[in-house]
Amino acid sequence: MTPTTLGQLATLGQLRASGYQPKSVAEELRSNLLTRLRSGETAFPGIVGFDDTVLPELETALLAGHDLVLLGERGQGKTRLMRTLIQLLDEWSPEVADCEIHDDPYAPVCVRCRALAAEFGEELPIAWRHRDDRYTEKLATPDTSVGDLIGDVDPVKVAQGRTLGDPETVHYGLVPRTNRGVFGLNELPDLAERIQVALFNVLEERDIQVRGYSLRLPLDVFLVATANPEDYTNRGRIITPLKDRFGAEIRTHYLSELHDEVSLIRQEAELVADVGDHLLEVLARFTASLRTSASIDQRSGVSARFTIAAAEAVAGSALRRAGRTNDPEAVARVGDLPAGRPTLPGKVEFEMGEEGREREVLEHLLRMAIAATFRDRLGGLDLSGFTAVFAEGAIVETGDLVPAAELLSQLGTVTGLAKVLDRLGYADSAGRGQVAAAAEFVLEGLHLTRRIDKDAVGGRTIYGAR
């Protein structure tokens, strides 16, 4: 049915006459996922690098109708993945008009809606809710209460004259207000253990209890939670009876393929300047080396947010240069990579024995990443045209505030530059800033492969012959 048709269905009788058949949330997820799988359409848009690992397990859990926990280190896309589930719901869903917990018109469960159904019958007013409104997310914090999640007595309703025994004095929490939708609970282990107990009935019996009221609300909620592995022992844990009630636990991971990491940066980072793929590859390799380095505390992981933030900082450095030098193009160069260093605090934790060596470790790993990218991108290419520039003792001075024109004028005409531009993915119509970026990348690569010297003086870098 189209949105226009839905808008014409305003009562339960009209809804019945249309042939509409209600489905549970699990049935909606299953049906729409199957439709996407059969059509070849992407079921989880924006998710990179999980096609052969995480997504098959997630698809199986959804098709089975299982509530689930996404378990993985920080910055592995757990929240992003959780939020994509909303796209597997039907676009529009009917509910009893003005119901706090979005009751199904065919089978209302709250006291108010049952009374309205008895009074109006087939004339029961209905409303339509878009799938974007059927997702609720809560960050689990130690101060989260049962009232926040499940509900509590509303003193205002009591003051209005209702008795404490009246179920309508209950103020519903986030879970019942997500009835017939998806409830995402971020960082589940941070939830106090006594509060986790309140979720037992939601996951098993599919109902809620509030402060001893004789109140049973059969809820239709799909629950998905996220957790970090170290949280099981450090900040908190998921209590065993609650873990037992989840149908599936799916382990996420960091991206293992270089092209996936670059694709993720392109997708997520807001780059204010032109940042070539070769520089993004350097950042991706740098991040991968951090995730395997013995100097880094691997229990806390290295978030993908670091790679994204570092790319944005590199672009910011390029834009700063363009602004300070009136360069018409803001194009990032290899000399802008250190600008990503301030994004590291809070995203990378060092082992205890590395205190005082943090900068040295980072600089070494960054050099290794640049050298590996240089070999991968320009390996086997004749770069003698560049080394010839320094054969007579010439030097080339660059830096974060050296404009592209000044850098290129020092190099002059270089044999082989066109092939370098081609290898780095720059078109024949590459601008001056892109040519300067390619040239500086070659100079840094030649230095790291010990073919030319480099010295740093007063914030500037000087390349010269060996």
Side-chain angles (χ1 to χ4, degrees):
M1 289 183 285
T2 65
T4 302
T5 304
L6 296 178
Q8 297 171 354
L9 306 179
T11 67
L12 175 59
Q14 292 172 350
L15 183 64
R16 258 191 243 279
S18 73
Y20 174 83
Q21 293 297 319
K23 292 182 289 188
S24 68
V25 176
E27 289 170 341
E28 283 185 50
L29 294 171
R30 180 184 303 119
S31 174
N32 293 324
L33 176 57
L34 278 174
T35 298
R36 293 197 178 194
L37 292 177
R38 286 167 178 161
S39 68
E41 184 183 357
T42 300
F44 307 97
I47 302 302
V48 177
F50 287 175
D51 291 352
D52 300 322
T53 53
V54 177
L55 296 189
E57 294 182 359
L58 178 59
E59 290 165 358
T60 299
L62 294 174
L63 293 173
H66 288 162
D67 298 293
L68 53 97
V69 177
L70 297 173
L71 181 67
E73 281 82 9
R74 57 182 176 172
Q76 290 185 347
K78 300 185 297 297
T79 301
R80 177 67 175 268
L81 185 56
M82 182 169 68
R83 290 173 180 173
T84 63
L85 298 184
I86 190 174
Q87 300 302 319
L88 295 176
L89 295 174
D90 292 343
E91 185 175 7
W92 294 95
S93 175
E95 62 181 40
V96 178
D98 301 320
C99 178
E100 286 184 273
I101 61 171
H102 313 290
D103 267 347
D104 180 359
Y106 283 54
V109 297
C110 75
V111 174
R112 169 188 174 275
C113 292
R114 290 203 305 268
L116 288 176
E119 178 182 353
F120 291 101
E122 293 296 283
E123 295 302 312
L124 178 68
I126 66 170
W128 291 88
R129 185 163 57 139
H130 193 264
R131 62 184 166 211
D132 290 347
D133 300 321
R134 297 174 63 194
Y135 175 77
T136 301
E137 185 175 303
K138 176 73 172 76
L139 176 62
T141 55
D143 62 341
T144 301
S145 67
V146 174
D148 295 332
L149 293 179
I150 307 301
D152 207 341
V153 174
D154 187 342
V156 175
K157 292 180 179 178
V158 174
Q160 289 173 343
R162 293 187 176 93
T163 65
L164 281 174
D166 185 348
E168 290 200 59
T169 60
V170 172
H171 174 77
Y172 295 113
L174 290 172
V175 173
R177 288 178 182 274
T178 314
N179 186 30
R180 302 175 62 232
V182 176
F183 185 77
L185 192 56
N186 249 330
E187 310 296 349
L188 177 57
D190 285 349
L191 201 64
E193 294 182 11
R194 63 183 182 84
I195 310 302
Q196 292 184 35
V197 173
L199 296 175
F200 285 2
N201 273 35
V202 175
L203 285 168
E204 190 67 27
E205 287 78 18
R206 297 292 169 181
D207 63 14
I208 61 168
Q209 299 172 356
V210 180
R211 283 191 177 270
Y213 276 86
S214 180
L215 174 68
R216 184 179 184 277
L217 292 179
L219 299 177
D220 180 15
V221 177
F222 185 84
L223 186 61
V224 55
T226 70
N228 298 120
E230 71 270 17
D231 288 346
Y232 284 118
T233 55
N234 288 355
R235 298 203 304 266
R237 68 186 185 94
I238 303 176
I239 59 176
T240 302
L242 183 59
K243 283 197 289 184
D244 181 56
R245 283 166 165 79
F246 279 100
E249 181 177 282
I250 298 173
R251 185 65 188 256
T252 59
H253 58 81
Y254 290 119
L255 302 182
S256 57
E257 298 296 331
L258 185 68
H259 64 86
D260 285 336
E261 195 83 51
V262 173
S263 296
L264 181 67
I265 299 172
R266 285 286 182 209
Q267 175 181 289
E268 300 295 330
E270 296 183 10
L271 303 178
V272 296
D274 179 357
V275 183
D277 279 350
H278 64 289
L279 296 182
L280 297 185
E281 288 177 18
V282 170
L283 291 175
R285 283 190 167 93
F286 180 46
T287 303
S289 64
L290 288 170
R291 290 172 180 159
T292 57
S293 172
S295 300
I296 306 299
D297 182 0
Q298 300 302 329
R299 292 170 297 179
S300 65
V302 179
S303 169
R305 284 183 284 270
F306 160 67
T307 320
I308 294 165
E312 292 173 338
V314 169
S317 176
L319 185 60
R320 173 176 174 267
R321 175 171 57 253
R324 292 288 295 271
T325 63
N326 293 318
D327 203 323
E329 297 176 298
V331 182
R333 306 201 297 248
V334 70
D336 295 310
L337 289 172
R341 202 158 39 223
T343 65
L344 274 167
K347 296 181 177 66
V348 175
E349 296 180 18
F350 287 82
E351 291 287 358
M352 293 289 291
E354 299 298 333
E355 186 175 353
R357 294 187 62 249
E358 294 89 348
R359 187 183 184 93
E360 178 184 339
V361 168
L362 295 176
E363 289 179 349
H364 170 71
L365 294 178
L366 181 57
R367 287 194 299 269
M368 295 291 288
I370 296 171
T373 305
F374 175 76
R375 287 190 294 269
D376 182 59
R377 283 280 187 156
L378 303 180
L381 199 63
D382 181 8
L383 300 176
S384 59
F386 286 86
T387 55
V389 173
F390 304 98
E392 302 298 328
I395 63 171
V396 174
E397 186 175 325
T398 183
D400 59 351
L401 293 181
V402 173
E406 182 179 333
L407 172 59
L408 294 176
S409 67
Q410 295 177 73
L411 271 175
T413 303
V414 180
T415 304
L417 179 56
K419 292 183 178 180
V420 170
L421 291 170
D422 183 62
R423 287 280 191 96
L424 296 183
Y426 291 128
D428 295 337
S429 58
R432 190 167 53 187
Q434 293 173 328
V435 175
E440 187 171 308
F441 181 63
V442 173
L443 297 181
E444 182 65 16
L446 291 174
H447 162 66
L448 293 174
T449 53
R450 302 183 179 182
R451 282 182 269 181
I452 62 174
D453 278 337
K454 184 180 87 167
D455 197 9
V457 179
R460 288 205 169 196
T461 300
I462 303 172
Y463 294 99
R466 293 186 64 82

